[in-house]
């Protein structure tokens, strides 16, 4: 697309708030409200209904999911949180080809200690894990994946399944990730790992912590600086009621303290179909995340920069509850689609 599209819309959700009868600019960097003094006298396009950022699953694994299977989906954006970098372009292209307008973001590989999770897992293909011995390894790897287009960097802190980076190496991973301007996402598993991630400055947890009940003080501190991706329903798929209860309790207190929650399913782990998971939505509601908070989790605006995809809903969507009601019937649209919508 060579130039932004200026359109008048019935309703739009921009920056976490609803705007009625707005003039917006649609471009490859997303959607923004046009200030009154910048609005053209005649807007050539009118978009009926509601425009909003893309519905996002912030934790998928394209190599384990049905990336290339065409099927209706409400998802407009996905974030792959760990796979072999050389396979990701093909997987991303297949996903975009099968799902019109899908915006695919990637983290690249897992970064782990030597011998750390998931290097010994059968599902992790060669190249999916970069084993780091020291800070210089971390700097080289993170700079390379940032240059290759990673949207975030992923580190594994799974003390239940192998060694994890020590404090010095974790600090180096955090510092280098922030130096290249990206957020650091951590898989935390095992006693004390969520606290280590927080103290080191990790920005995002890939799962709501489930291996221990975190203290109220730790939850409050995390809520002030971190985003947590939910992935609650994966414990139900595993039949682990104790893990589900811990994760739900931790996430509920995190959200109640104002923590940013992102909808994520760990797509590929027990489910493979590209769409909203009703079990994850139900689990989020069980954690007290509903209404505006649930819509915010689905849009994930604070975690990923805007891109060339929006979600379009019917004109009778007037609030957060009606948004949720219509999501399963909505699909993403590439912004360039609006080039054909001249009024």
């Amino acid at each position: 697309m060579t130039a932004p599209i200026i359109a008048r819309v019935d309703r739009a959700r921009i920056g976490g708030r609803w705007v009625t009868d707005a003039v917006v600019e649609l471009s490859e960097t997303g959607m923004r409200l046009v200030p009154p003094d910048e609005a053209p006298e005649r807007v050539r396009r009118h978009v009926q209904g509601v425009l909003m950022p893309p519905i996002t699953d912030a934790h998928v694994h394209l190599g384990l999911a049905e990336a290339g299977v065409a099927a209706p989906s409400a998802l407009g954006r996905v974030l792959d949180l760990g796979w072999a970098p050389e396979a990701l372009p093909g997987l991303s292209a297949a996903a975009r080809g099968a799902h019109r307008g899908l915006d695919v973001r990637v983290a690249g590989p897992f970064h782990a200690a030597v011998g750390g999770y998931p290097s010994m897992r059968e599902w992790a293909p060669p190249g999916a894990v970069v084993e780091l011995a020291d800070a210089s390894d971390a700097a080289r790897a993170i700079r390379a994946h940032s240059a290759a287009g990673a949207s975030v960097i992923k580190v594994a802190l799974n003390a239940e399944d192998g060694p994890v980076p020590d404090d010095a190496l974790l600090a180096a991973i955090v510092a280098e990730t922030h130096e290249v301007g990206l957020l650091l996402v951590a898989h935390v598993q095992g006693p004390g790992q969520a606290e280590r991630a927080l103290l080191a400055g990790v920005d995002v947890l890939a799962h709501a912590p489930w291996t221990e009940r975190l203290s109220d003080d730790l939850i409050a501190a995390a809520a002030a600086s971190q985003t947590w991706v939910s992935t609650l329903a994966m414990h139900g798929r595993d039949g682990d009621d104790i893990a589900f209860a811990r994760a739900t309790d931790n996430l509920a207190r995190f959200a109640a303290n104002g923590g940013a929650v992102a909808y994520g399913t760990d797509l590929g782990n027990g489910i493979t179909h590209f769409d909203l998971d009703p079990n994850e939505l139900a689990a989020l509601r069980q954690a007290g995340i509903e209404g505006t908070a649930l819509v915010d989790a689905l849009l994930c605006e604070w975690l990923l920069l805007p891109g060339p995809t929006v979600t379009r809903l019917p004109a009778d969507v007037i609030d957060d509850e009606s948004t949720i009601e219509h999501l399963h019937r909505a699909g993403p649209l590439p912004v360039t689609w609006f080039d054909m919508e001249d009024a």
Side-chain angles (χ1 to χ4, degrees):
M1 187 169 61
T2 58
I5 299 164
I6 304 298
R8 183 173 295 280
V9 300
D10 295 341
R11 285 177 64 81
R13 188 179 176 102
I14 301 175
R17 66 189 181 97
W18 293 110
V19 181
T20 302
D21 190 27
V23 177
V24 300
E25 178 186 276
L26 297 164
S27 72
E28 291 179 344
T29 58
M31 178 172 59
R32 75 176 184 98
L33 187 65
V34 177
D37 59 347
E38 295 181 21
E41 292 184 8
R42 178 175 180 270
V43 178
R44 296 183 62 236
R45 296 171 176 84
H46 181 82
V47 179
Q48 295 183 333
V50 178
L51 290 183
M52 58 197 300
I55 305 304
T56 300
D57 188 332
H59 192 146
V60 310
H61 296 284
L62 294 174
L64 298 173
E66 297 173 348
V69 177
S73 175
L75 294 178
R77 181 169 57 183
V78 295
L79 174 60
D80 185 287
L81 282 183
W83 205 250
E86 61 271 18
L88 284 172
L91 290 167
S92 299
R96 288 192 296 267
H99 303 88
R100 182 185 66 171
L102 186 69
D103 181 4
V104 180
R105 312 289 181 94
V106 301
F110 293 80
H111 294 80
V114 176
Y117 172 88
S119 61
M120 301 303 290
R121 294 295 182 96
E122 291 184 359
W123 55 260
V129 183
V130 175
E131 298 178 55
L132 307 175
D134 53 33
S136 61
D137 282 353
R140 283 192 296 270
I142 291 167
R143 289 173 192 169
H145 297 302
S146 172
S151 294
V152 297
I153 298 294
K154 177 80 173 286
V155 64
L157 300 177
N158 183 351
E160 295 185 343
D161 198 1
V164 297
D166 62 21
D167 289 346
L169 179 54
L170 180 56
I173 293 169
V174 171
E176 193 61 43
T177 300
H178 292 167
E179 180 66 24
V180 298
L182 297 179
L183 299 178
L184 182 63
V185 181
H187 173 123
V188 299
Q189 186 172 346
Q193 295 305 309
E195 182 173 15
R196 289 189 68 223
L198 176 65
L199 293 176
V202 169
D203 306 288
V204 184
L205 299 191
H207 307 273
W210 76 91
T211 53
E212 60 182 329
R213 187 182 191 275
L214 303 183
S215 72
D216 288 341
D217 287 344
L218 180 58
I219 289 280
S225 63
Q226 288 184 329
T227 295
W228 288 6
V229 184
S230 58
T231 70
L232 298 175
M234 73 175 188
H235 305 297
R237 298 193 296 270
D238 293 340
D240 193 336
D241 293 339
I242 293 175
F244 178 82
R246 284 196 193 118
T248 303
D249 171 63
N250 284 332
L251 189 67
R253 290 183 292 130
F254 176 80
N257 275 273
V261 177
Y263 168 90
T265 63
D266 203 2
L267 183 69
N269 175 13
I271 55 172
T272 60
H273 179 55
F274 270 65
D275 204 357
L276 283 174
D277 177 21
N279 293 321
E280 192 67 37
L281 294 175
L284 282 162
R285 287 192 170 103
Q286 188 170 332
I289 300 163
E290 51 189 342
T292 297
L294 183 53
V295 174
D296 288 344
L298 289 165
L299 301 184
C300 206
E301 292 176 85
W302 55 89
L303 179 57
L304 295 170
L305 294 174
T309 298
V310 295
T311 296
R312 185 180 186 183
L313 298 176
D316 58 350
V317 172
I318 59 172
D319 54 25
D320 296 305
E321 287 307 312
S322 57
T323 296
I324 297 296
E325 180 183 345
H326 283 279
L327 285 179
H328 284 287
R329 299 193 293 274
L333 292 170
V335 165
T336 51
W337 182 85
F338 291 102
D339 282 334
M340 298 181 291
E341 292 296 291
D342 282 53

